[in-house]
Each structure stands twice: as structure tokens, then as C-alpha cells.
Amino acid sequence: GKSSPTEKGEVTAAAVCASCRVPAHGHKTLELALAWDMPCVHFGSKEKLHFRRYTRFFGSEGDAAPALSHYALTHYEEWERKIEAWQNPILENSQLPSWYKSALFNELYFMTDGGTVWMEVPPDCCAEDLQGLAGAGLSHLLPVLQEYGRFAYLEGQEYRMYNTYDVHFYASFALIMLWPKLQISLQYDIAVTVVNEDVQPRQYLMCGQTAQVKMKNVVPHDIGDPGDEPWQRVNAYLMHDTADWKDLNLKFVLQVYRDYYLTHDSLYLRDMWPVCQAVMESELKFDMDNDGLIENGGFADQTYDAWVVHGASAYCGGLWLAAVCMMCKMAEVLGDTEIRQKYLDILDKGKEAFERMLWNGKYYNYDSSGSDTSSSIMSDQCAGQWFLGACGLDQGEFEVFPKSHVLSALKTIFEKNVLGFAGGTMGAVNGMRPDGVPDTSSVQSNEVWIGVVYSLAATMIQEGMVEEGFRTAEGCYRTVWERLGMAFQTPEAYREKKVYRSLAYMRPLSIWSMQLALERRAGQAPAPAQLPQGPLDP
């Protein structure tokens, strides 16, 4: 019935009572449903009223709790059947270790517990409301967002920025494999911000310099702060001016092709193609010497935002070459011979420069600076190969990194960063010196990043190092879920002793790339999109 809202500080309680007769030697079941109906959302600025996705089906008046409860009671058995049909093939696979099954499904807690919002786009909304005049080329933006809504989750419960893109790059495997339309929707939101700019000045904390909030043709760091107005004002990150980061643009291109490869959504690919060209053109300015390989700028200009990089680097250079390769592949699919040739030429030069400047005979050096730590063994040095392998572009004409070099690098990482760290029981440390001592040149180089370890394990599985991949990932699971007691709040990072950072974090969702790698090996992954003889129909 009707009741008054409680006063601030007032405590209230409620009870539900049900009864039934239980026959001798029999049983009865009582079913109870509990539902919250909170249909409206104001972010911190209170500029806009947003409605949650479920209001499409249950209304936005705040009176839907009985209907929600009724729906749950009449459908939960069907939900349970569908959950079991989804999970049982993995749970009943005796070749997979129990800890992996637990980690794979339980890390998904963050999809809902990550400050997550899934919003409706109003039916009377027009394309200009979403993208402005600059984004008019995204022909399917409005239909996608109106059908599937806008989705956002925090980088972490302590790092309050929505859809932090350098980190989502890792976590996105969970979305594209389980809720692909939400990944497509999120990518459209990022694409809109790429083609727009925000010229408001802002001072950045690490360098003390002032720069505009968002530059055109550059991928944003995030789509905003829940304390402000997400989607409306992006780039809540205050540490660095991320217009000069080297990884964000590349991670957009890599996700576009990965998404197309797994979904075969040609309309999405066609919409994203001009955006990919724009961000890659913007990225080309970082190739200072025109050798086909970008250079880092002498500061922490990528997702390792406290780990300085000078010159060519294994991480950003590898991502760059993978993105160039995918530009060639997308141009081939779309019949764009001119762009394909342009990036093939860059790829040929870049591969030669990458090997010459970074390969040392066993692994790829951290960077080409020649500093005391440039020869550090980075656990994430094969990130580009990780994405190429996930898309079937790791062999034949599209082999970017020599297979023997990839295997040697992974074996070195396993020997030094995994087995040589904490007795092989805590995953892979981010940076290890060749003499077997963790790299302590930054606060991040001697951390373990759980999401990076899962992606490293996936790369090992892709390359046939299945046992090593599971051993590497198991160290993180045992540390987080058992030893540290951080179940359902997996942190971004921990060190060998006493230190952890940023509980409940996005990146560990990358564990789903391990599942994709396993399915590819078993021949269960989606077949690659068939290439047409000519350009795709619009």
C-alpha cells in the first residue's frame, strides 16, 4: 500500500510472511521475489534526466516493483535453464581446471557491479542530438543506440571514469563474446567523441601544462565522470593530456576489426572505417622519422600511466603494427585499394624497424632508449600479437611478428616474469630485469596487473603454450580469490608483498580472451567473415 518516504536517519524494516501445508514425507516450495525499481538517473551535474534500459518494458513512473517481481517469478526457471545451457559446456569440460571455471564466470561480477548504467535513448531523439554535425557520417548510430541503448561501466570502483578506453580494450572481450550489441553500441559512442572536440582549457596534474579537454580525431580516455555528465563531457582523467597518448587510437582500430571478425557486422565496419582512417592519420604524426613505426614521447603516454617510455617501444610499437595490419585487412574487405596499399607500405617499413630496434635475440626490449631499464622484459610486450591472434591474423601473409620471436618472447616472460617472480605463484610481474630482479623504475613496473596476466595467458594459449598459459593465470586467481580474500573485488594491481591497488577493476574481464583462445584451438570460434569479391554493399 501507500507509505511515506522515510526521513533521513530513520530506520525501517518490513517482513513478508507466507504459509503452506506440507504433507507427510512431502515437500513444498515457497517462492519470493525482491525487486528494486529505480528508473530515473541523474548524474552529478543534474543537467539531464536519464531512464534505465528496463523502463522500455516496465515504465518509468517508479511503480513497477510488483510487475518486476511478477516477471521474475514467472520467468526465473527459464532463466536458470538458459544460464545452465550457457555455462554447462564449460563447467562440464573435464580438461579445464576448476579455478579457471570459477574465474571465468565470477569475474563477470564487474559487468553489473562496476557502477554500471544501461540507458535508453529517447524515441524522439535525432542523430544530431547524439553526434553533432561533425559525426554525421555514422549512418547507423541512431538505430543502434535506440535499439540497444547506451552502456557504461566504471574503470573501477575507486577510479570513477566511465568506459575508460585504454582499459576497456582488455575488458571488451567479455562484452563482444557475451553481449556483442553492447560492445557495438559502446564503440559508436566512442566514434562520436572522436569526430568532436572540446576546446575548454584544462590543467593536467602530472605535467602542470594546460591543454584543451578533447582534440578532434583523437580517441578519448573515457566518456566522463558520474559526478558530472557522462557522454556530454568526456575525458574526466586529469593526470595526463591523453591527446598525446600512443595507445588509445590504436585500441579503437583493433577493436573495430575484432568486433567485425566475431560478429560479421558489415554495416558497423562501414560506419567505423572513416573513423579508423581519421584516428590512424592522427597517429601517424608520432612516427617522427618516417620509418613506419611510432615513437613514444618520453613520458608515461599509454595505459601504464606512471611508466615512462622513450622512442620505439614493444607495447605501443606492437599495438601500432597490429593496427596497421588490421587497416590493411579492413581496406581489403571494403575494396579500398588505395588505403590498403598505403598501409601495406607502412607495415613493411614498420616491421623492419620494430625488429631492428627492439628485438634482442630473446624478446622485445621495453623501449629503444638505451637507458638502464630499456632492456626490461615487459609482460605485455605481445599485446599486438594477442589481438592479431584473436582475429586469425597471426600467420601467413598477415604475420606481423615472426612466430619464432613471439614464442621466444613468451617463453622468456614465462621463465622470468612468471616463474622468477614469487616462486611462480602470483602471475606475471609487469617488468623484470634480465638478471631476474623486478624492474623498480616506476610504481607500475613491479606490479602484477591481473587483467594483463589474463591477456598474456590468452596469448600463450593462442601460440600453443596452453599449460604455461593456465599456470600464469592461476597465480592471479589463487592470489586474489583465495590468499588475499578479494573475491568479487578483483584489484587492478598487487605487488609481491603487502601492496594492492584499485579494488573492483575493469581490466580482469580480459579473462574472456582466454576462453576465445581455447575455443579457437578447439575449432569452436566463429568462422571469419567471408570476403566479398568487390566492395561491401552499403
Side-chain angles (χ1 to χ4, degrees):
K2 295 286 184 181
S3 62
S4 301
T6 55
E7 298 293 331
K8 186 173 182 179
E10 180 184 349
V11 176
T12 189
V16 176
C17 178
S19 61
C20 66
R21 290 182 177 272
V22 183
H25 305 290
H27 70 274
K28 289 282 188 178
T29 300
L30 291 173
E31 300 167 326
L32 297 101
L34 177 62
W36 287 263
D37 181 23
M38 297 181 287
C40 306
V41 173
H42 276 112
F43 293 110
S45 74
K46 295 186 167 56
E47 291 175 31
K48 291 189 173 184
L49 177 64
H50 303 266
F51 295 104
R52 295 187 189 272
R53 165 74 172 181
Y54 75 86
T55 61
R56 167 180 299 205
F57 311 103
F58 292 96
S60 57
E61 298 302 314
D63 57 359
L68 288 163
S69 296
H70 179 268
Y71 191 81
L73 289 168
T74 55
H75 287 78
Y76 80 88
E77 291 179 333
E78 176 189 358
W79 297 343
E80 289 176 345
R81 284 194 300 272
K82 288 182 175 180
I83 290 169
E84 288 170 2
W86 162 45
Q87 294 188 348
N88 280 349
I90 294 170
L91 297 178
E92 294 173 358
N93 185 340
S94 60
Q95 294 182 307
L96 297 175
S98 295
W99 68 261
Y100 170 75
K101 300 171 185 178
S102 170
L104 184 70
F105 291 117
N106 287 330
E107 290 289 6
L108 289 172
Y109 82 92
F110 196 77
M111 292 304 307
T112 54
D113 200 29
T116 310
V117 289
W118 187 7
M119 302 304 195
E120 281 285 85
V121 170
D124 59 351
C125 184
C126 64
E128 288 72 22
D129 295 334
L130 295 171
Q131 63 190 8
L133 295 176
L138 299 169
S139 59
H140 293 87
L141 168 73
L142 186 59
V144 166
L145 294 190
Q146 284 189 326
E147 179 61 26
Y148 299 106
R150 280 182 143 166
F151 180 83
Y153 61 147
L154 295 175
E155 178 180 339
Q157 291 180 4
E158 297 177 31
Y159 292 4
R160 299 193 318 153
M161 293 159 283
Y162 273 130
N163 295 352
T164 298
Y165 201 69
D166 57 298
V167 185
H168 172 71
F169 170 72
Y170 295 83
S172 64
F173 280 90
L175 274 179
I176 196 61
M177 291 181 69
L178 301 174
W179 302 279
K181 294 299 186 182
L182 293 184
Q183 166 66 7
I184 298 295
S185 168
L186 188 154
Q187 285 284 91
Y188 268 100
D189 272 329
I190 293 294
V192 168
T193 67
V194 166
V195 296
N196 288 304
E197 62 181 338
D198 182 345
V199 298
Q200 294 295 316
R202 172 193 285 163
Q203 188 171 39
Y204 291 91
L205 299 178
M206 292 296 285
C207 61
Q209 296 175 343
T210 299
Q212 68 184 63
V213 171
K214 169 68 176 66
M215 292 184 66
K216 189 174 182 180
N217 294 337
V218 172
V219 171
H221 174 273
D222 56 83
I223 58 105
D225 180 350
D228 186 22
E229 193 61 56
W231 294 294
Q232 188 78 10
R233 284 184 291 279
V234 303
N235 275 349
Y237 181 76
L238 296 172
M239 300 296 287
H240 299 281
D241 177 9
T242 57
D244 287 329
W245 273 22
K246 308 306 183 288
D247 60 342
L248 290 167
N249 294 336
L250 308 176
K251 289 173 174 178
F252 179 82
V253 173
L254 293 169
Q255 286 182 71
V256 166
Y257 183 73
R258 189 273 319 269
D259 298 346
Y260 167 71
Y261 175 77
L262 293 177
T263 66
H264 302 180
D265 188 338
S266 58
L267 296 176
Y268 165 73
L269 182 65
R270 181 168 289 281
D271 262 1
M272 295 297 136
W273 179 234
V275 186
C276 288
Q277 292 181 70
V279 299
M280 288 297 281
E281 199 63 38
S282 176
E283 190 80 8
L284 273 169
K285 68 178 178 288
F286 300 127
D287 180 8
M288 305 289 191
D289 52 7
N290 196 33
D291 64 351
L293 188 64
I294 62 169
E295 289 85 39
N296 289 86
F299 69 103
D301 52 359
Q302 25 70 45
T303 195
Y304 296 88
D305 58 355
W307 196 357
V308 172
V309 203
H310 296 267
S313 70
Y315 183 69
C316 290
L319 292 175
W320 162 255
L321 291 179
V324 171
C325 175
M326 290 191 185
M327 288 295 288
C328 297
K329 190 68 175 178
M330 287 187 282
E332 179 182 317
V333 171
L334 293 165
D336 195 332
T337 54
E338 183 179 344
I339 295 296
R340 181 175 183 271
Q341 190 58 52
K342 172 182 175 178
Y343 283 98
L344 278 174
D345 293 343
I346 294 172
L347 186 59
D348 287 341
K349 289 195 301 180
K351 287 196 293 186
E352 188 278 328
F354 188 80
E355 296 295 325
R356 172 171 44 83
M357 300 176 73
L358 295 166
W359 180 250
N360 65 19
K362 286 190 173 181
Y363 60 92
Y364 293 102
N365 286 334
Y366 177 67
D367 66 23
S368 64
S369 67
S371 69
D372 291 343
T373 56
S374 68
S375 60
S376 286
I377 306 161
M378 187 188 197
S379 66
D380 213 1
Q381 64 184 269
C382 295
Q385 178 72 7
W386 170 45
F387 252 70
L388 289 170
C391 300
L393 295 178
D394 53 347
Q395 53 197 334
E397 63 172 317
F398 286 102
E399 182 179 281
V400 174
F401 310 99
K403 188 67 70 175
S404 61
H405 289 187
V406 171
L407 285 170
S408 176
L410 291 174
K411 288 174 181 176
T412 302
I413 293 167
F414 184 68
E415 176 191 344
K416 298 289 189 178
N417 301 53
V418 179
L419 298 182
F421 178 75
T425 62
M426 295 183 74
V429 67
N430 282 342
M432 180 69 83
R433 299 295 301 137
D435 62 1
V437 177
D439 182 335
T440 57
S441 62
S442 86
V443 296
Q444 293 174 337
S445 55
N446 69 335
E447 290 181 329
V448 175
W449 286 10
I450 295 89
V452 168
V453 172
Y454 288 152
S455 69
L456 168 63
T459 312
M460 290 176 172
I461 291 168
Q462 287 171 183
E463 301 301 326
M465 297 171 59
V466 179
E467 184 178 342
E468 293 91 335
F470 277 124
R471 172 76 183 271
T472 298
E474 181 179 2
C476 282
Y477 176 82
R478 301 287 185 197
T479 299
V480 171
W481 291 77
E482 295 178 355
R483 285 178 46 214
L484 299 181
M486 293 178 178
F488 302 105
Q489 50 181 341
T490 305
E492 157 75 319
Y494 56 72
R495 292 188 184 170
E496 184 174 3
K497 295 178 181 176
K498 297 183 179 179
V499 176
Y500 67 88
R501 182 167 60 80
S502 188
L503 283 176
Y505 198 76
M506 178 195 287
R507 204 182 316 251
L509 287 166
S510 63
I511 193 171
W512 278 87
S513 67
M514 290 181 64
Q515 183 61 24
L516 179 62
L518 290 165
E519 290 176 7
R520 275 198 71 204
R521 287 186 61 78
Q524 300 169 352
Q530 294 299 309
L531 300 184
Q533 296 304 307
L536 287 175
D537 293 330

